[in-house]
Amino acid sequence: MSARSTRQVRRAPDLVLVGGRVLTVDAGFSVAQAVAVSDGRISAVGTTAEIAALADARTEVVDLRGRTLLPGINDSHMHLAWWATTRPPYQLDVSDAVVEGLDDLTRLVAEQAQRLGPGQWVIGRGWNTSWIREFHGTGREPDRRDLDRVSPENPVLLTHRSGHSAWANSRALELAGITAETPDPPGGTIVRDPATGQPTGWLLEGAEGLVSPLVPELSPPERTKAVSDAMAELNRLGVTSVTDAMATPDITALYTGMHNAGLLTLRLNLLLNWTSTGGPRNRAATLEEALRYVGTPSGFGDDWLRVAGCKLFADGVPPLRTSWMSRPFPGGGCGSLVTAGDGGEEQHRELSAMIRLLHRNRFRVGVHATGDRACEAVARAFMAVMDEDPWPGARHHIIHGSLLSARTARELAPYGVSVSTNSLIKWQATDALDPVFPDEETAGYHVAVRSLIDAGLHVADSSDAPITRPDWRQGIETLVLRRARGSGRVSGPGERISREQAIRAWTVEGAYQDGLEHVKGSIEVGKFADFALLGEDILGVDADEIHRIPVEMTVVNGRVVHTI
């Protein structure tokens, strides 16, 4: 038996996969030929001859025919239920892939309003001002009257591609009671006409929460079907494990019911959330109240559904200029924190208090931070709580970490903190960020994966779906090439990483973030038998063709959940 096989196989395996190129993604990124599976775990890794010799008449044998086998893909930050229930037919797709002009968008809204009938909510997501030609570079902004013209009787709410703002029509504002006199909620902005003071219908950050609770929810059977369909789509992409980065109580209950019914086809790790991107709930007092009733710290659960930690928000997103920056955006403003408090200093203290409270209760903490100042604040808070209250098992992480400095990353590395980056957002948003980051130094450093890895941090890449489509292949291609989706230009060539590093970011580094690298993320004896079989050699194919590599089979827990 090869040196990679560290445990004696006592009986014939249930499944063997032989005759392939097995990228183990172990510490040395070694390459094997075959794998044996027993009871949902990897029981041996070695040559084809070694593994084939273990089989008997009851063993299922899969000939890999020279194809490449990877560990199952781990999307370390997405929103499974949100993505599932915002896809057609549940909501309109008004993304840049569908909408180029305002006429395209209003046509979709009009058609949906006609299908639904008067008074029914028209819901959609994915729009972006940089891709709607009437807005791009003109200074024009979304206005409720654009939607009123085609949907005067149906309330309309269209969520921005980032998930950090929304566009509502007059009927939706009326139902929510939003008028010229309505104050901005903490952590949010009701955009107003400068001449009249009337709300325009564009709601930033926490202001969306004034309208979104009015939207009717899907029925439980509809939500279950939506999530089942979404999991099947992820399986077709080779995904075997995801971290749902904002599991509210209702979403957690949905997943628990599906788990009890045996409906999960991938492993779910949850970041619990009782706060929002803004508003009065994003405060330590909310967490303190929630923790009075929650006895499930990080690690609670099983191999399929598990509490990974908690999610917090520090700031907003660059396209909306709501990231907390140390230098002003073009046109003014540095963004801000979205935690409760009167001014930056008080908000900063509130953010630190929230992190300290969760750490003390032994919840791993993932904090959304995009601006350089927000990233610095979160990093300092993590280091402070770890110094005050050492917890060897803490795997706190910065979500996005879009402008985390290399200097601070080097300071963070000894604490075991990781960063969940988003190459797909980099690919999708690079051109749109030109007006936000006009200097090439900042634009090129945005999503600086190479610098973070070189600083010694663990970096797990992720989709943040539904902000992007959860296709890890495009993510790896972007990590390797740093090309923008629209123009194809390279942004930050010095931040490119190798294919091996990129594969790690979509497999074993996600496992590290969850504190589960001992059971998933690589093809080694004793770990879960979760695999993705590719139709081409991901290490040899032209780099600009990585996104086209077919996923021909996906295995979860030793069971085939997708094959072509």
Side-chain angles (χ1 to χ4, degrees):
M1 190 62 60
S2 87
R4 283 184 294 274
S5 298
T6 59
R7 188 176 71 185
Q8 183 178 0
V9 178
R10 298 182 179 178
R11 63 175 176 80
D14 306 312
L15 169 71
V16 296
L17 303 100
V18 298
R21 194 159 184 262
V22 180
L23 306 185
T24 65
V25 196
D26 62 6
F29 212 90
S30 60
V31 180
Q33 295 177 332
V35 183
V37 175
S38 301
D39 296 326
R41 300 265 185 157
I42 298 168
S43 52
V45 182
T47 67
T48 291
E50 291 169 340
I51 300 304
L54 302 174
D56 66 11
R58 294 166 297 182
T59 302
E60 180 182 359
V61 179
V62 175
D63 185 356
L64 299 178
R65 304 195 310 275
R67 293 171 292 177
T68 298
L69 192 71
L70 286 179
I73 300 302
N74 191 134
D75 193 329
S76 66
H77 178 102
M78 70 170 301
H79 307 274
L80 174 59
W82 182 23
W83 176 58
T85 56
T86 55
R87 301 194 306 160
Y90 306 103
Q91 290 192 15
L92 288 177
D93 178 5
V94 292
S95 66
D96 53 67
V98 177
V99 171
E100 294 184 357
L102 193 53
D103 287 345
D104 296 334
L105 185 145
T106 54
R107 175 181 50 80
L108 292 173
V109 171
E111 291 172 352
Q112 184 74 335
Q114 187 173 17
R115 279 193 295 267
L116 294 172
Q120 300 300 306
W121 281 83
V122 175
I123 308 301
R125 72 162 314 279
W127 64 274
N128 191 332
T129 53
S130 65
W131 288 92
I132 298 175
R133 53 179 168 264
E134 288 87 352
F135 297 159
H136 189 200
T138 67
R140 191 176 185 277
E141 296 178 343
D143 192 283
R144 56 188 167 81
R145 290 168 292 192
D146 296 320
L147 304 176
D148 292 346
R149 281 191 288 271
V150 295
S151 183
E153 298 180 359
N154 295 72
V156 180
L157 187 68
L158 306 178
T159 303
H160 188 269
R161 184 175 66 183
S162 68
H164 284 252
S165 77
W167 182 0
N169 72 345
S170 294
R171 181 60 178 146
L173 296 179
E174 179 186 353
L175 291 173
I178 298 175
T179 68
E181 288 72 40
T182 304
D184 288 342
T189 302
I190 301 169
V191 179
R192 304 168 197 271
D193 185 317
T196 66
Q198 293 294 326
T200 65
W202 195 9
L203 307 168
L204 302 182
E205 299 294 345
E208 180 183 0
L210 300 175
V211 178
S212 56
L214 303 178
V215 176
E217 294 185 355
L218 296 179
S219 68
E222 286 174 325
R223 297 181 81 202
T224 297
K225 184 180 188 309
V227 173
S228 293
D229 291 346
M231 286 193 297
E233 175 65 18
L234 290 170
N235 291 154
R236 285 190 287 272
L237 290 168
V239 177
T240 62
S241 183
V242 304
T243 295
D244 189 312
M246 200 160 70
T248 56
D250 62 320
I251 288 175
T252 303
L254 170 66
Y255 293 152
T256 301
M258 294 183 69
H259 179 30
N260 292 342
L263 297 177
L264 299 184
T265 62
L266 46 71
R267 304 185 194 280
L268 268 171
N269 298 278
L270 309 183
L271 292 182
L272 303 183
N273 180 262
W274 304 288
T275 67
S276 65
T277 54
R281 293 180 296 167
N282 203 18
R283 60 175 75 241
T286 300
L287 295 180
E288 195 159 19
E289 179 68 10
L291 292 172
R292 289 178 57 198
Y293 304 101
V294 177
T296 54
S298 293
F300 181 82
D302 60 18
D303 295 342
W304 290 96
L305 182 63
R306 182 176 173 275
V307 175
C310 288
K311 165 78 170 287
L312 300 177
F313 287 89
D315 65 345
V317 291
L320 300 177
R321 292 172 168 80
T322 52
S323 299
W324 196 31
M325 300 289 291
S326 57
R327 293 186 296 173
F329 290 108
C334 293
S336 67
L337 292 173
V338 295
T339 47
D342 185 13
E345 185 175 339
E346 190 174 321
Q347 289 177 302
H348 195 176
R349 286 197 300 271
E350 191 75 10
L351 174 65
S352 297
M354 294 167 78
I355 292 172
R356 184 176 294 106
L357 178 63
L358 290 170
H359 176 89
R360 189 171 69 240
N361 283 273
R362 294 306 184 248
F363 275 100
R364 294 189 175 114
V365 187
V367 185
H368 167 116
T370 60
D372 64 332
R373 199 171 177 187
C375 291
E376 180 77 9
V378 173
R380 296 294 165 196
F382 280 160
M383 289 187 277
V385 298
M386 290 292 287
D387 287 339
E388 295 168 7
D389 178 17
W391 173 22
R395 292 285 175 86
H396 302 318
H397 68 284
I398 300 176
I399 296 168
H400 308 306
S402 308
L403 292 171
L404 176 65
S405 74
R407 173 186 57 80
T408 301
R410 287 191 292 272
E411 294 182 60
L412 265 181
Y415 292 86
V417 171
S418 62
V419 180
S420 180
T421 58
N422 306 104
S423 59
L424 286 163
I425 291 179
K426 178 67 177 176
W427 171 70
Q428 181 172 277
T430 290
D431 292 336
L433 288 175
D434 284 347
V436 180
F437 299 139
D439 62 295
E440 180 54 36
E441 181 180 358
T442 303
Y445 191 77
H446 178 248
V447 192
V449 177
R450 173 68 178 272
S451 291
L452 301 182
I453 292 175
D454 288 352
L457 287 181
H458 289 269
V459 177
D461 203 45
S462 60
S463 69
D464 201 13
I467 309 308
T468 73
R469 183 173 181 269
D471 193 335
W472 62 275
R473 298 167 300 179
Q474 183 62 62
I476 285 182
E477 182 175 309
T478 302
L479 289 170
V480 171
L481 295 177
R482 301 277 294 189
R483 285 184 183 163
R485 175 182 177 179
S487 64
R489 78 179 193 274
V490 174
S491 175
E495 294 300 332
R496 290 167 166 164
I497 62 174
S498 70
R499 299 188 198 203
E500 290 83 357
Q501 288 174 313
I503 291 169
R504 288 189 185 281
W506 280 93
T507 54
V508 73
E509 291 295 358
Y512 175 88
Q513 175 187 292
D514 294 333
L516 295 174
E517 72 274 18
H518 61 291
V519 291
K520 67 175 184 175
S522 60
I523 300 177
E524 298 181 85
V525 171
K527 293 192 174 184
F528 298 140
D530 298 347
F531 313 120
L533 179 63
L534 309 183
E536 296 183 43
D537 177 12
I538 193 170
L539 297 182
V541 70
D542 288 345
D544 57 5
E545 292 295 315
I546 292 174
H547 72 282
R548 300 182 187 274
I549 295 175
V551 178
E552 299 191 348
M553 185 172 69
T554 305
V555 177
V556 181
N557 212 54
R559 182 172 70 88
V560 175
V561 295
H562 157 68
T563 187
I564 59 173

